Amino acid sequence: MRLLSVAVLATLVPAVLPSEAVARTGARAGTTYYVDSRAGDDAAAGTSAATAWKSLEQLATAELKPGDTVAVKRGSSFTGPLTLETDGTAARPISITAYGSGPLARISGAETDCVVVKGDHWRISGLHASNCRWAGFEIGGDHNELKGVRADRNIAGVHVTPSGSHNTIRDSVLSDNNRMSVNDAGHDNDSGAFGVLLNGDDNVVTGNTITGSSARSKDYGHDGAAIEIFNGDRNRIVRNVARDNVTFTELGAQDGKTATGNVFAFNVVTSTRARGSFLVTRGPRHIVGPVKGTIAVHNSVYLPGKATIGWSCHDGCSPSILKLRNNVIAVGGEAGWEDGAGADDAGSVYLGRTKRFKLGPKSVVADPRFVSRTDLRLRPGSPALGRGVPLTPRWYGGKAFAKDARGKALSGTPDAGAYQH
């Protein structure tokens, strides 16, 4: 068969295929549904702000499809749960957004979790989950994103269940999630007050502000964590700001499960509490150990209370349990604690009344000279300047995360801590 010339082909084949043209003009865009608890009407069409629905229950009848959007009016108030079961796709996720002015729409539910994400490929923003049965946001699906949400007064602000993987929690405010789910004496089993609880794998927690994760505990006095990882692997916790939580992170795994390869990078952690810690992990002799392959790199921590500890690696610590690089950790109590073979440390600055670990290469005990108690940038003359050791992107969880707390890319010999000069 004779091949047609390029010129002839150009006359026969349109420059843009019809399907592409439709996509570019937006004709294939999904439907947007509107919900307004104050002025909406469940008998209305729901497809414009003027015909908004009143209740979230109407979404169950909408048969949401990939590419659809749910727009929720700011200032609205609902009782949960909002259960999201439909799947979007990578190219056409299903979105929840806010419209109008005023505070984010609030969902509460003392008898239920508030926002339950069972589907995949959702993009959820503009919601405030408060005083829910257990979790403000429960994510059991994959490839979902929470962005710009709020959660407070829950046991867990955000809970990623064991089935949830490759999800992202970003740029959100998780404050005063300060309740316990178990709170009885003498059993070492109190649980709660989590900003984020990760039971799933390969999730990203980044750019969030997490505060006030603390609740009274009959077992521990007070307990809580900004980010708790239990039975979760390869999660990346990057560039978060945490204030006044009991612990920034605690890791564990039940028998037969793992919590391996989790990364903490460029987080800024401060507290005014008398008691607290940055990182707690366990070796093989602990009932919820071993927790293997945890990496903590370029974090800045200031916990001036007397009953504080920078990091603890106990019940069989070893380099395979915990690696620390280029951190700045100043506490009023113990700078760090290890047993066994000890953690693998380098390029860090520590300050505390005591320490029980061996300093690694280039690590020192010195005043890091933070700008202030809450501003953990470094002043001129800080021993953390140029203190760090060069690292490959895998230390940060990938090239996309190799940026400091302000988003500045690393270059040359790095400074220790979350901020680069």
Side-chain angles (χ1 to χ4, degrees):
M1 173 183 255
R2 184 171 64 89
L3 296 177
L4 296 176
S5 68
V6 172
V8 173
L9 281 170
T11 66
L12 299 176
V13 181
V16 179
L17 296 175
S19 60
E20 295 173 334
V22 170
R24 291 185 186 183
T25 61
R28 290 186 61 193
T31 302
T32 298
Y33 298 94
Y34 294 81
V35 187
D36 179 350
S37 72
R38 294 178 175 178
D41 181 352
D42 283 345
T47 52
S48 70
T51 62
W53 289 324
K54 185 176 183 65
S55 67
L56 295 172
E57 285 80 359
Q58 289 299 106
L59 295 176
T61 68
E63 297 182 356
L64 296 172
K65 298 178 177 60
D68 285 352
T69 297
V70 177
V72 184
K73 183 73 177 289
R74 286 176 173 266
S76 290
S77 181
F78 306 95
T79 299
L82 171 58
T83 302
L84 308 174
E85 298 184 277
T86 305
D87 291 338
T89 67
R92 305 188 73 201
I94 305 173
S95 300
I96 295 182
T97 63
Y99 75 99
S101 60
L104 298 182
R106 182 177 182 270
I107 302 177
S108 60
E111 302 301 320
T112 65
D113 295 334
C114 285
V115 180
V116 180
V117 187
K118 297 182 178 180
D120 303 338
H121 295 290
W122 283 81
R123 301 290 178 266
I124 300 167
S125 62
L127 295 179
H128 176 189
S130 179
N131 199 29
C132 310
R133 180 193 66 84
W134 208 91
F137 296 86
E138 179 189 281
I139 306 178
D142 302 336
H143 299 283
N144 299 294
E145 179 182 82
L146 295 182
K147 181 179 180 181
V149 302
R150 299 182 66 93
D152 57 40
R153 301 173 64 201
N154 307 293
I155 293 167
V158 178
H159 177 207
V160 179
T161 72
S163 65
S165 66
H166 299 281
N167 299 291
T168 300
I169 300 106
R170 65 183 306 130
D171 305 328
S172 296
V173 177
L174 312 174
S175 60
D176 298 323
N177 292 286
N178 53 13
R179 292 165 40 215
M180 283 280 165
S181 61
V182 177
N183 193 10
D184 52 19
H187 301 290
D188 195 27
N189 63 347
D190 289 0
S191 175
F194 309 121
V196 179
L197 173 60
L198 297 174
N199 297 142
D201 304 334
D202 299 295
N203 300 286
V204 174
V205 181
T206 184
N208 303 286
T209 299
I210 307 174
T211 63
S213 301
S214 174
R216 289 188 178 276
S217 163
K218 292 183 179 179
D219 287 343
Y220 313 119
H222 277 83
D223 199 22
I227 299 164
E228 181 109 349
I229 299 180
F230 193 75
N231 299 342
D233 298 334
R234 300 177 303 278
N235 295 288
R236 287 159 290 177
I237 317 302
V238 183
R239 294 197 298 273
N240 300 281
V241 174
R243 296 192 297 267
D244 294 333
N245 305 285
V246 175
T247 298
F248 176 69
T249 191
E250 186 170 359
L251 301 101
Q254 67 189 103
D255 190 30
K257 303 288 186 178
T258 59
T260 298
N262 295 289
V263 174
F264 301 85
F266 301 106
N267 298 290
V268 178
V269 181
T270 63
S271 180
T272 59
R273 297 182 182 277
R275 172 178 169 265
S277 57
F278 165 55
L279 184 150
V280 178
T281 191
R282 281 89 176 207
R285 296 198 303 272
H286 196 276
I287 191 171
V288 294
V291 178
K292 296 182 178 179
T294 299
I295 292 175
V297 56
H298 278 290
N299 299 284
S300 290
V301 179
Y302 183 60
L303 309 174
K306 290 186 177 181
T308 54
I309 185 167
W311 55 268
S312 174
C313 180
H314 55 87
D315 289 291
C317 187
S318 72
S320 68
I321 301 295
L322 178 62
K323 296 183 186 298
L324 303 135
R325 292 289 187 277
N326 304 351
N327 298 292
V328 179
I329 297 176
V331 302
E334 193 152 46
W337 196 98
E338 66 185 13
D339 63 8
D344 179 0
D345 168 66
S348 299
V349 176
Y350 294 100
L351 183 66
R353 287 185 295 113
T354 58
K355 72 174 184 66
R356 184 172 166 176
F357 68 96
K358 182 180 179 181
L359 290 171
K362 291 192 71 176
S363 290
V364 296
V365 173
D367 182 351
R369 295 177 57 83
F370 292 134
V371 169
S372 71
R373 286 172 170 257
T374 56
D375 184 345
L376 302 194
R377 292 175 298 166
L378 303 171
R379 287 186 285 160
S382 168
L385 295 171
R387 174 67 53 183
V389 296
L391 301 171
T392 60
R394 73 174 182 85
W395 285 86
Y396 314 112
K399 185 178 292 185
F401 302 105
K403 298 177 182 179
D404 79 350
R406 293 174 295 187
K408 181 179 180 180
L410 274 69
S411 62
T413 300
D415 301 330
Y419 297 101
Q420 299 297 297
H421 282 66

